Amino acid sequence: MPQSQWTPRKRSWRHRLTDLSIKIGEAVTRRVRFFGDLTFFAASTVFWLFARRPSKGTLVPIFYNVGVLSLPVVILTGMFVGMVLAVQSFPQFKLVGLESRIGGAINLSLVKELGPVLAATMLAGRVGSSIAAELGTMRVTEQIDALTSMGPNPIHYLVVPRFLACLILIPGLTIMADAMGVFGGAFLSIDVLGVDWGYYWDYSRRMVGPFEIFAGMFKSIFFGGAIAMISCHQGFHCEAGAEGVGKAATHSFVISFVMILILDLVLGIFLDRFQTAFFGGPTGGMLG
Amino acid sequence: MTESKDKVTWEGQVYSDAEGQRRVLRRRRPLLETEHLYVEFDGREVLRDINLPIRRGETVAIIGESGCGKTVLLKTLIGLNKPTYGNIWLDGVDLTSMSSRQLSEARTRFGFVFQQAALFDSMTIWENVAFPIVQNRPKTRKDEINETVHRLLLEVGLTQDVEQRYPAELSGGMRKRVGFARALAINPELMLYDEPTTGLDPIMSDVINEMIINARDQHKVTGVIVTHDMKSAKKVADRIVMLYPLRRLGEDEPQVLFDGPPDEIDDTDDKRVWQFINGYAGERLMEMTKN
Ligand SMILES: Nc1ncnc2c1ncn2[C@@H]1O[C@H](COP(=O)(O)OP(=O)(O)OP(=O)(O)O)[C@@H](O)[C@H]1O
Ligand SMILES: [Mg+2]
């Protein structure tokens, strides 16, 4: 193929660098604006939370959806994660001859990390995306405008009940995930892998104290709040059309999940410091 | 902006002019009036310098091609969009400076019929129509609400057996009529209709027209109707206002092309108005094939 005579020269690195920095700048601005917007949204939710009591009629169906309908999936995933933990860590523990202490490791990771994160992930996937899709549909079909035009404040009427439901019910879901994980792990370790019953629970008790359980609950409340805020915000700012609604739902899950992990890290560090400062370190040692 | 300050101080129909002389205004203060209204989204202008008085008891039709900002104008009138500049006077009080509580109270004086009805999917028809009553007059007794809902549905030609159904189970025309009933539920002074007849068959369109006329005559409501439908506009409106998309206008051409009674619109010599009311593609076809 003959070369065209006026093919432009390749863009110089200077140009490309400028383009790149413009792109980065735009991306950063977008993120900053997004977080600013989200913060404002959360602030007005908190304002309306205290300004006026939400009515029972708006609360009950949402509490039912978030609490009761989320239970099966939390139970199932919790149990499986407990069993998987046992299967995966047993050979390593056996190798160093510490298989009697496996209960401590399993239950500690369940109660402190996996239970809360798992319950939150399930909530983000099941409830968060459905909130985003529901509110997104209401946005694009002008139902939110219709609501506003008849008097109620949409944040008070739509966001506050969802926020409350996630905030109040997620500790319960976390407990459920913890309990099922503990049950699954114990079942597999004791009944299938043959770990001694007494040692299993003894080491569990040594490593998992009230603080560890509290730490899991404490984190989960933040997860719940973040999930509600992000998915409601995505719904409210949904773009037109069915595509927009789908996007709002997936975005809300992805952003919630990233947020859960970030919060998990930050709160994990904070809680560790807190425990060291006030309780002189973790509840029990592996080699105690 | 100084001009607008004077208007707040209007007392009834009497005001003092610059020399301190008392004057009587010829016309009564409009129920709703926009003044130098500008609306833009992400820096893109949609409405520019709209000055539109809506007088008590009249029915105004706003016409214009798709995308010219009719829905935006209607939503700005009840504070669902914030204007970038300008004022909206509701009985002499500026809507754009109201707190959200005042605004939600002011909104009880409006009824809004949405383009796609915008019924709440999760509620039955009964709950939808009762919604504004329950929200704004929480003390109303259940049987009283029930009675109002029956009456309103009857008024829009729907029988009691739709009451327990959900919006998804109704046809588009029925949904629109339910939306109509819902907007009438708390006896608004001003009804705003966003394309009430679009997407309906000619007979149903005329039924809706009759309902609008009925609302005006029986409930004494003022009306603003956004529509593409010239027949409907001529039938129900006392006044027609035509908007034009800003992207087709020069820097300082006015966006309102026509503002006057329906029988005058046929005699305008503005080519663009003529093109719209006769539904003539003209140069648009060329433009579209060029791209
Ligand atoms: N929330 C919004 N954000 C950004 N742009 C918007 C928003 N609402 C409306 N617009 C833009 O404003 C312009 C006017 O829209 P509008 O819905 O008022 O048109 P319309 O005259 O009602 O058209 P139609 O007759 O098709 O309903 C459109 O170009 C639209 O893209
Ligand atoms: Mg429109």
Side-chain angles (χ1 to χ4, degrees):
Chain A
M1 204 161 78
Q3 276 257 278
S4 153
Q5 278 189 320
W6 44 275
T7 3
R9 268 179 50 211
K10 271 194 127 176
R11 290 166 70 76
S12 72
W13 63 273
R14 257 172 225 267
H15 274 119
R16 275 193 264 167
L17 206 64
T18 323
D19 281 356
L20 186 70
S21 46
I22 290 176
K23 278 216 184 86
I24 293 175
E26 275 172 356
V28 170
T29 323
R30 234 186 353 256
R31 299 286 183 291
V32 169
R33 187 177 309 159
F34 172 79
F35 276 104
D37 218 39
L38 189 60
T39 312
F40 182 75
F41 191 75
S44 36
T45 307
V46 172
F47 169 79
W48 279 104
L49 182 63
F50 294 108
R52 205 188 308 157
R53 268 227 329 264
S55 73
K56 217 173 109 203
T58 60
L59 286 178
V60 171
I62 290 158
F63 270 62
Y64 179 76
N65 183 9
V66 174
V68 181
L69 298 183
S70 297
L71 271 180
V73 63
V74 166
I75 287 174
L76 201 72
T77 46
M79 191 147 73
F80 272 92
V81 161
M83 296 199 287
V84 168
L85 270 181
V87 171
Q88 293 290 348
S89 47
F90 183 76
Q92 302 294 327
F93 276 79
K94 196 175 165 86
L95 216 60
V96 288
L98 288 175
E99 68 266 32
S100 57
R101 305 184 178 195
I102 195 174
I106 292 175
N107 290 332
L108 184 66
S109 27
L110 272 172
V111 167
K112 260 182 97 173
E113 280 305 321
L114 289 170
V117 170
L118 206 68
T121 311
M122 287 299 123
L123 193 75
R126 212 196 73 81
V127 174
S129 349
S130 90
I131 288 178
E134 188 189 0
L135 296 187
T137 308
M138 290 186 74
R139 163 64 72 204
V140 300
T141 56
E142 298 182 310
Q143 289 176 54
I144 294 183
D145 283 331
L147 180 76
T148 316
S149 79
M150 286 183 272
N153 179 288
I155 301 245
H156 175 254
Y157 193 84
L158 297 171
V159 180
V160 166
R162 287 167 175 78
F163 179 67
L164 273 179
C166 288
L167 208 65
I168 292 174
L169 295 174
I170 199 176
L173 292 176
T174 303
I175 294 246
M176 205 61 202
D178 286 354
M180 295 321 289
V182 169
F183 171 75
F187 165 73
L188 214 86
S189 307
I190 298 168
D191 292 332
V192 179
L193 300 169
V195 178
D196 180 72
W197 188 87
Y199 280 128
Y200 188 90
W201 292 116
D202 184 41
Y203 277 101
S204 298
R205 208 174 310 120
R206 275 203 227 172
M207 293 187 60
V208 183
F211 187 85
E212 275 71 23
I213 298 176
F214 160 78
M217 303 284 106
F218 182 77
K219 285 196 293 193
S220 77
I221 294 172
F222 285 82
F223 298 160
I227 292 166
M229 272 350 320
I230 290 166
S231 38
C232 289
H233 180 257
Q234 285 294 318
F236 264 55
H237 293 268
C238 182
E239 287 162 27
E243 198 188 338
V245 174
K247 245 201 230 163
T250 38
H251 281 186
S252 98
F253 178 72
V254 172
I255 299 171
S256 300
F257 191 54
V258 171
M259 207 59 205
I260 289 169
L261 295 179
I262 294 174
L263 280 173
D264 193 36
L265 179 67
V266 174
L267 292 170
I269 293 171
F270 165 77
L271 286 164
D272 244 25
R273 292 280 159 85
F274 185 82
Q275 195 181 19
T276 313
F278 290 94
F279 300 91
T283 300
M286 192 74 218
L287 304 169
Chain B
M1 292 304 272
T2 48
E3 241 185 317
S4 54
K5 285 230 175 67
D6 288 340
K7 287 189 180 167
V8 191
T9 64
W10 280 4
E11 297 256 311
Q13 301 169 8
V14 183
Y15 78 112
S16 315
D17 72 3
E19 287 91 32
Q21 194 173 12
R22 278 159 66 84
R23 284 170 180 273
V24 178
L25 275 168
R26 290 269 156 66
R27 65 187 165 97
R28 292 179 60 190
R29 183 165 63 197
L31 176 60
L32 189 72
E33 182 171 21
T34 70
E35 185 183 43
H36 301 303
L37 192 71
Y38 288 75
V39 177
E40 50 187 66
F41 292 106
D42 311 316
R44 199 167 57 85
E45 266 191 332
V46 177
L47 295 176
R48 183 170 74 202
D49 199 15
I50 307 289
N51 296 288
L52 189 69
I54 292 153
R55 299 179 196 97
R56 252 170 257 274
E58 80 177 337
T59 300
V60 180
I62 296 173
I63 59 171
E65 59 195 83
S66 201
C68 70
K70 304 181 300 294
T71 303
V72 171
L73 175 60
L74 218 52
K75 285 188 182 168
T76 311
L77 288 183
I78 58 166
L80 289 174
N81 287 327
K82 273 233 174 297
T84 14
Y85 181 83
N87 308 82
I88 299 160
W89 302 102
L90 172 65
D91 258 345
V93 186
D94 188 4
L95 213 74
T96 55
S97 65
M98 284 184 185
S99 71
S100 69
R101 179 154 303 189
Q102 287 170 312
L103 201 54
S104 88
E105 208 162 288
R107 286 193 186 117
T108 60
R109 301 171 60 180
F110 296 99
F112 203 121
V113 180
F114 285 85
Q115 200 163 343
Q116 257 91 40
L119 302 179
F120 301 123
D121 294 327
S122 57
M123 297 183 186
T124 62
I125 301 305
W126 190 93
E127 289 168 322
N128 263 290
V129 179
F131 187 83
I133 310 173
V134 175
Q135 288 298 320
N136 293 299
R137 313 203 209 300
K139 299 234 161 58
T140 319
R141 286 207 329 279
K142 181 92 187 274
D143 52 329
E144 212 175 308
I145 297 179
N146 223 348
E147 208 174 288
T148 317
V149 173
H150 290 334
R151 179 174 57 73
L152 287 167
L153 285 176
L154 210 62
E155 221 169 283
V156 296
L158 292 170
T159 47
Q160 283 192 20
D161 57 294
V162 299
E163 279 179 11
Q164 293 315 316
R165 288 205 248 165
Y166 284 88
E169 301 165 39
L170 301 188
S171 76
M174 285 161 101
R175 257 178 271 165
K176 252 194 179 148
R177 284 183 282 161
V178 175
F180 205 119
R182 180 177 70 175
L184 281 173
I186 45 172
N187 307 316
E189 290 168 58
L190 177 64
M191 285 285 278
L192 305 165
Y193 308 91
D194 193 0
E195 306 198 9
T197 57
T198 310
L200 301 181
D201 66 76
I203 300 168
M204 189 47 71
S205 297
D206 204 47
V207 169
I208 298 274
N209 288 340
E210 291 297 335
M211 282 174 192
I212 294 171
I213 292 171
N214 185 49
R216 180 186 64 192
D217 296 341
Q218 302 229 314
H219 298 270
K220 303 272 177 292
V221 297
T222 310
V224 180
I225 299 159
V226 159
T227 183
H228 300 288
D229 180 353
M230 279 313 294
K231 186 165 163 264
S232 154
K234 283 184 182 163
K235 177 162 181 176
V236 300
D238 306 310
R239 196 174 125 216
I240 293 182
V241 173
M242 178 165 169
L243 295 182
Y244 206 60
L246 277 186
R247 65 192 141 81
R248 303 194 168 275
L249 285 172
E251 270 299 307
D252 40 37
E253 285 177 278
Q255 193 177 10
V256 176
L257 294 188
F258 178 87
D259 184 349
D263 39 332
E264 277 175 26
I265 197 165
D266 292 322
D267 314 328
T268 55
D269 14 87
D270 192 325
K271 195 174 138 280
R272 297 164 299 183
V273 177
W274 180 86
Q275 183 182 15
F276 182 83
I277 56 179
N278 291 294
Y280 172 61
E283 81 290 348
R284 297 293 169 82
L285 212 56
M286 299 272 286
E287 279 174 29
M288 286 174 76
T289 45
K290 229 186 285 172
N291 290 333

